[in-house]
Amino acid sequence: MTIRPNNFPDDISERLLYRNQFILGPRFAEELPSWKRKRLGSNLFLTAHPDLNLEHIAKGNRSVTLLGYILDPHNPLHSDTDILHSLLAGSCSPNYFVKRTFRFGGRWVLLVRDRDCTWLMHDATGLRQVCFTGCQHSEELWCASQPGLLSLLLNYTVDQEASEYLKSDKVQNNNEFMWPGGSTAYKEISV
């Protein structure tokens, strides 16, 4: 079964549906058969839209995976792979990566693996968003680029309070969409 919202027209190209999105979890998203797949560990599986740039480099039991694109203003000719190699040459600690990536532009998520420890970070302004399932709602941890994608994959429904908020005058009469804090319309998913 391919994931498709009920109100999504069949005549729109499959390639445009969830363009440049990704899902990371304890299995591949088999519901998206045309998407790229990358196994990042014994229990970590990445499923990425065909148009989303995915770069992966490994050295021994350490690896860095890039989703999106990353730009180094001090070295404008460096490719995504060049930048990943330079990052992997140092420590795989979160502090190291934060210090080394603060100058980078682009729209990216980095998945860093060091032995059995895996963590992720996104660009400083959060242009490539990461949302995740909360441990209190699921035994499995899932991450994705948008909550709607996780809701379709995991059969979550919009929370009643969120639905009421979306119908409120505060939202209906505002030209800019906003969502409070790290919450989403699904109680099981946070940002």
Side-chain angles (χ1 to χ4, degrees):
M1 169 184 91
T2 299
I3 295 177
R4 180 182 298 283
N6 292 338
N7 61 351
F8 205 86
D10 287 333
D11 61 335
I12 292 182
S13 170
E14 191 77 26
R15 188 127 178 127
L16 296 178
L17 186 61
Y18 306 116
R19 188 165 189 263
N20 287 326
Q21 305 296 316
F22 70 89
I23 299 172
L24 180 67
R27 65 174 175 81
F28 290 123
E30 298 300 336
E31 299 84 351
L32 300 162
S34 65
W35 285 29
K36 298 183 232 180
R37 287 163 170 53
K38 180 74 180 162
R39 188 173 183 162
L40 298 175
S42 61
N43 58 355
L44 196 57
F45 300 83
L46 177 63
T47 309
H49 187 276
D51 291 343
L52 179 61
N53 182 48
L54 188 159
E55 299 288 339
H56 176 83
I57 63 162
K59 185 176 182 180
N61 54 9
R62 301 173 350 148
S63 68
V64 179
T65 305
L66 168 70
L67 297 169
Y69 63 93
I70 193 166
L71 305 169
D72 184 350
H74 297 159
N75 299 292
L77 298 179
H78 281 190
S79 67
D80 293 336
T81 305
D82 294 334
I83 294 169
L84 294 183
H85 278 290
S86 72
L87 288 170
L88 196 58
S91 168
C92 280
S93 75
N95 286 338
Y96 170 82
F97 270 77
V98 168
K99 288 177 186 174
R100 286 294 309 268
T101 60
F102 77 93
R103 73 174 189 260
F104 294 155
R107 191 175 189 153
W108 50 266
V109 168
L110 292 177
L111 300 158
V112 183
R113 186 165 176 79
D114 187 8
R115 294 176 188 81
D116 295 327
C117 180
T118 303
W119 57 273
L120 65 79
M121 68 181 291
H122 58 69
D123 57 87
T125 57
L127 293 173
R128 179 139 330 262
Q129 176 177 284
V130 178
C131 59
F132 57 93
T133 57
C135 296
Q136 68 273 23
H137 300 289
S138 173
E139 292 180 15
E140 301 174 324
L141 176 64
W142 287 88
C143 298
S145 46
Q146 63 169 291
L149 193 52
L150 282 179
S151 75
L152 290 170
L153 180 72
L154 302 172
N155 295 313
Y156 293 151
T157 58
V158 173
D159 181 62
Q160 180 62 35
E161 285 183 47
S163 180
E164 291 171 14
Y165 172 73
L166 290 170
K167 293 175 189 173
S168 72
D169 288 341
K170 182 177 186 173
V171 174
Q172 294 297 315
N173 296 327
N174 192 340
N175 290 334
E176 291 187 38
F177 181 78
M178 59 170 250
W179 198 263
S183 63
T184 70
Y186 309 92
K187 68 179 179 186
E188 302 89 353
I189 304 171
S190 300
V191 177

